[in-house]
Amino acid sequence: MLDVRFIASVVERDIDLVVMEELSVSDEFRDWFSSRVYSTPVFQSAIGVWHSVVDGALGESAIVYVFTSQAGQRIALLIENKIDAPPQTQQGERYRLRGDKGVRDGYWDEFKTCVISPER
């Protein structure tokens, strides 16, 4: 049994679920992650995290993470995970449009989009 690979392969959904789990349970990870996106600590408290959020006209966000900032704002991070899939046509623009729509619809006060991917 020791010569069998621990994990045969890793796909984007696997990474999505690990990131979602950490965003759901770990203040340390939430603080670290939001600090990477904002370049400064902004995380105050978690609101929620969702997987594969689809808008019929604007496409899918792999992960949507919403938290309250230290300034009291509801901030959304719209996260795209890229392991082996190529970028989709106008993918970045559609993420921005979904973020803008979330502000208009009152789901969050501001947002940022980001891409996560393995180093190798």
Side-chain angles (χ1 to χ4, degrees):
M1 191 69 158
L2 294 177
D3 60 340
V4 176
R5 290 175 49 188
F6 178 70
I7 296 176
S9 65
V10 175
V11 295
E12 285 182 18
R13 183 176 170 86
D14 298 332
I15 301 300
D16 288 349
L17 296 177
V18 169
V19 170
M20 289 179 64
E21 184 265 340
E22 289 302 308
L23 289 171
S24 296
V25 302
S26 173
D27 279 344
E28 183 178 355
F29 183 79
R30 292 184 281 236
D31 188 47
W32 174 85
F33 194 89
S34 62
S35 294
R36 299 293 73 77
V37 175
Y38 275 86
S39 301
T40 181
V42 294
F43 170 78
Q44 179 65 39
S45 62
I47 294 175
V49 61
W50 297 266
H51 185 259
S52 190
V53 178
V54 177
D55 178 287
L58 299 174
E60 175 190 34
S61 296
I63 301 171
V64 176
Y65 169 54
V66 182
F67 65 95
T68 303
S69 72
Q70 294 174 1
Q73 293 182 301
R74 289 169 299 145
I75 295 177
L77 300 181
L78 283 65
I79 304 165
E80 173 62 19
N81 181 10
K82 285 292 181 192
I83 289 184
D84 57 7
Q88 303 299 310
T89 303
Q90 297 180 330
Q91 188 170 27
E93 175 67 10
R94 286 182 286 122
Y95 262 81
R96 187 188 62 74
L97 292 171
R98 288 192 298 273
D100 288 339
K101 186 173 189 266
V103 171
R104 283 193 313 274
D105 292 347
Y107 291 120
W108 45 77
D109 302 314
E110 69 175 70
F111 71 95
K112 287 209 177 205
T113 64
C114 63
V115 175
I116 57 174
S117 65
E119 187 172 323
R120 55 190 161 113

